Amino acid sequence: MIIREERIGGQRLILGDCREVMPLLGRFDAVVTDPPYGIGAAAGIGGGGTDATGRWKRRPRQYHGSWDDERPSADAFFAMAQLASEHIIWGGNFFADILPIGGRWLIWDKMNSMPSYSDAELAWTSIAGSSVKKFTQCASGPAANRDGRAHPTQKPVALMEWCLGFIPAAQIILDPYMGSGTTLVACQRTGRNGTGIELDPEYFEIACRRVDEAGRQPDLLIKAPQPQPVQRGFDL
Ligand SMILES: C[S@@+](CC[C@H](N)C(=O)[O-])C[C@H]1O[C@@H](n2cnc3c(N)ncnc32)[C@H](O)[C@@H]1O
């Protein structure tokens, strides 16, 4: 069920459970997403970060919710597979027993100095070719702060723009696990139409704000995406 829907710039943001919403949607060129990994990330990461204005804010160590306690089921991956022919799925190593063997892997080198944190994150993709590609950007510090950290597992906007660059023909993108909306921010900045689905109302609000801000600071060299048409199987 769609609880709420916003269209901001060229992006469509849906508050709801993607397992219920995905069957209601039409086809997309690509699914680009970052699902829960099932490692309890909602409970333990945090302590502080910057807001959109760059000011440091202390956050409680405990994020609300338990959204990362379980990874999506095989059925949820099957539903994603039905909706597009191209896929980029961050956290692919946590779903390796469900995803097809092979695929072209992407790496985010997080330049971590904390031994207890992951050095890198992996994305499984359906992209043709076998060479593994790596993007390097520190998960903390000025680059991360520039994005305004709003979600415990927030991806850098530059990382999502980089991985969209591997599927240049894909203009209509779905992120069924939108979080704070980084995929849609990258879509807005690169002239694509994205649809994002998020279960948590607080993260949904943050995603709406971030997409709105991205629309207000367009890249003048890139044509802004048009608002999504109401036809084309996108509407209910
Ligand atoms: C790993 S986070 C995505 C973070 C995102 N990449 C970002 O940069 O902010 C996964 C998100 O999926 C959401 N989620 C979990 N189960 C969901 C479901 N069934 N439908 C929609 N969203 C869901 C969680 O609330 C969480 O915000």
Side-chain angles (χ1 to χ4, degrees), residues 16-18 34 36 151 153-155 176-177 179-180 182 198-199 203:
D17 186 328
C18 69
D34 178 29
H151 192 289
T153 62
Q154 187 170 320
K155 294 282 179 288
Y177 297 94
S180 62
T182 312
E198 172 57 44
L199 191 56
Y203 293 142

Side-chain angles (χ1 to χ4, degrees), residues 54-217:
R55 267 193 312 250
W56 178 264
K57 272 193 175 170
R58 181 163 292 285
R59 290 202 190 90
R61 290 236 17 120
Q62 198 79 10
Y63 278 85
H64 56 96
S66 53
W67 55 263
D68 198 44
D69 288 355
E70 276 182 37
R71 63 182 195 161
S73 65
D75 285 348
F77 282 102
F78 184 72
M80 286 185 244
Q82 300 303 300
L83 289 178
S85 45
E86 297 280 22
H87 294 83
I88 298 178
I89 300 180
W90 284 96
N93 46 314
F94 294 102
F95 320 124
D97 56 324
I98 298 177
L99 295 169
I101 293 170
R104 183 173 181 187
W105 291 77
L106 303 179
I107 297 176
W108 170 27
D109 175 357
K110 301 167 81 171
M111 302 171 75
N112 269 333
S113 51
M114 296 287 285
S116 55
Y117 291 174
S118 277
D119 288 346
E121 293 196 21
L122 306 178
W124 178 90
T125 82
S126 60
I127 302 163
S130 54
S131 57
V132 175
K133 293 292 178 189
K134 184 174 86 169
F135 177 89
T136 302
Q137 180 175 303
C138 194
S140 55
N145 293 346
R146 199 174 47 228
D147 283 355
R149 185 104 190 267
H151 192 289
T153 62
Q154 187 170 320
K155 294 282 179 288
V157 173
L159 172 73
M160 299 314 290
E161 289 184 20
W162 172 76
C163 64
L164 284 172
F166 287 93
I167 45 172
Q171 293 297 311
I172 314 284
I173 309 291
L174 172 68
D175 182 353
Y177 297 94
M178 172 171 70
S180 62
T182 312
T183 305
L184 267 60
V185 170
C187 284
Q188 182 66 29
R189 286 174 50 81
T190 58
R192 293 171 164 87
N193 286 130
T195 292
I197 310 170
E198 172 57 44
L199 191 56
D200 183 306
E202 198 170 317
Y203 293 142
F204 178 81
E205 287 295 343
I206 290 168
C208 289
R209 173 181 54 76
R210 293 182 72 214
V211 171
D212 184 50
E213 282 168 6
R216 290 170 197 276
Q217 298 158 5

